[in-house]
Amino acid sequence: NGNFESTTWWAGSNVSGFTVSSNVASFTPTAQYGALIQFLTEKPFKANHVCMALADMKADSTLNNCQLTLSDNVRFTKAATVTLNTNWQQVKLFLKESNISNDSNHTIAFRTTLADSWGKMYVANVNIIDLTQMFGSTIADYIYTIETATPGAGVAWFRKLFPKVYYAYTAGS
C-alpha cells in the first residue's frame, strides 16, 4: 500500500516536480504518458485473484485522461481513466486476470495519456487489496461481479466492512 514516505516511487523522465508532503505525492507530467510508478517487488497480482486498487487523486485544474494503471509488464495492463479536477476523488480499479507473469515487476502507476495538455497531479491513500486472499474466492468474485455490473457497488460493499480511506500495509495479511 502506498505510503509515499516509506516506499520507492519512480518519477519517469516525462515528469517534473515530484514531491511528497504529508503522505501526498505531487508531480507534473511533461509529455504524453508522463507517470509516477511504483515497482511492486512482492508481485501482488495472482492468477484468478480479485484485486482492488484504490487511490485518491486530484489536479490543480481540470485534466482529462488521467489514469491509475496496474500491470505485470508482460501480459496485461489495466487502467481506470478519469477526469481530475481540484476536488479529491477516489479512483478505483478492479483486476482479475487468469494469465499473470512473475517474470518482471508488477507495477502501479499514475499518469496522463494526453499529448498536449498537462498540469500538476496529486495522489494519496493508495491501497491494493487482494480480495481473494482477504475473503476467499466466493466473496471476492461476488464483489467483482457487483462492481462490474454497477460501478461503485463493490467498493461500497467493501466500505461497509472497512470504512477507513487508507489501511497501512501489514505483510502477509
Side-chain angles (χ1 to χ4, degrees), residues 49-137:
H49 278 223
V50 176
C51 284
M52 176 178 68
L54 302 170
D56 293 332
M57 297 175 70
K58 73 174 187 171
D60 278 346
S61 60
T62 301
L63 290 177
N64 297 310
N65 297 345
C66 296
Q67 292 185 332
L68 157 60
T69 66
L70 300 175
S71 179
D72 70 355
N73 291 302
V74 176
R75 296 192 181 112
F76 80 88
T77 297
K78 190 163 183 179
T81 303
V82 296
T83 296
L84 297 180
N85 58 40
T86 57
N87 299 313
W88 285 105
Q89 66 176 299
Q90 186 174 72
V91 180
K92 63 188 175 308
L93 179 59
F94 281 74
L95 172 73
K96 184 177 181 183
E97 297 288 330
S98 60
N99 191 13
I100 294 178
S101 172
N102 284 316
D103 295 336
S104 114
N105 285 320
H106 296 179
T107 60
I108 183 169
F110 303 93
R111 67 183 186 179
T112 180
T113 61
L114 295 175
D116 59 358
S117 177
W118 306 284
K120 190 175 229 177
M121 296 171 63
Y122 301 85
V123 180
N125 300 319
V126 179
N127 278 263
I128 301 173
I129 302 166
D130 185 331
L131 298 174
T132 304
Q133 180 179 343
M134 189 171 191
F135 296 117
S137 62

